[in-house]
Amino acid sequence: MIGSVIIIGPFRTYQILLIIATILFLIFFYRRLRVKKITPASFGLCIIVSLIVNFFSFAPRLSDPLAGFFGFGRGLDLLLVLGFGILVYGIFRLYVKIDELNRNTTELVRALALKDEIKLEDIDKEEE
């Protein structure tokens, strides 16, 4: 029965596009790994996500029992909701990181301004 679910014959358009997108995705993150902009663990996560997405694109009915367990009618619905949830979580993490960087920049600018102000006062005293 499982053999009838997996598509071995001609590929569908979305499957071909997904393979191309996955290859480009992995190339992009591999380049970032080579210049040490991401960790090997992050690259490993990218590989795992790519494999899962490709697996369910070639065997979409295998996700139906998992979807039923969570109360969704189809596996695609579950995957879309999970994808949306991951995107929202990522945006939230980026917002927190940007806010933290903003605060750090403000503190640094204040510290430098106070440091420069002290030097200017010393110069003013020397001129008198």
Side-chain angles (χ1 to χ4, degrees):
M1 180 157 196
I2 292 178
S4 64
V5 174
I6 298 175
I7 300 170
I8 299 176
F11 293 112
R12 295 190 173 131
T13 305
Y14 76 90
Q15 292 169 326
I16 294 170
L17 292 175
L18 194 60
I19 290 172
I20 293 169
T22 302
I23 291 170
L24 293 175
F25 175 76
L26 290 175
I27 289 171
F28 172 77
F29 279 100
Y30 179 72
R31 286 182 178 172
R32 293 184 62 83
L33 176 68
R34 277 196 355 224
V35 295
K36 300 191 187 306
K37 291 197 177 201
I38 63 170
T39 64
S42 296
F43 184 67
L45 181 65
C46 292
I47 291 173
I48 290 170
V49 168
S50 297
L51 290 173
I52 290 171
V53 167
N54 277 317
F55 174 76
F56 283 122
S57 79
F58 287 100
R61 294 186 188 199
L62 290 180
S63 62
D64 288 344
L66 185 64
F69 177 76
F70 288 105
F72 292 94
R74 299 179 304 165
L76 180 60
D77 296 339
L78 173 65
L79 295 176
L80 288 173
V81 169
L82 283 176
F84 182 74
I86 290 170
L87 287 174
V88 168
Y89 174 73
I91 290 170
F92 175 73
R93 290 286 311 253
L94 286 173
Y95 173 77
V96 169
K97 187 60 110 174
I98 289 170
D99 191 47
E100 180 183 334
L101 288 172
N102 209 3
R103 278 184 279 138
N104 290 344
T105 303
T106 301
E107 290 175 15
L108 180 63
V109 168
R110 284 180 184 161
L112 289 173
L114 289 174
K115 182 180 175 185
D116 288 342
E117 183 179 335
I118 293 170
K119 288 182 180 179
L120 289 175
E121 289 176 357
D122 292 341
I123 292 172
D124 288 339
K125 287 181 184 178
E126 290 176 1
E127 289 178 359
E128 293 175 356

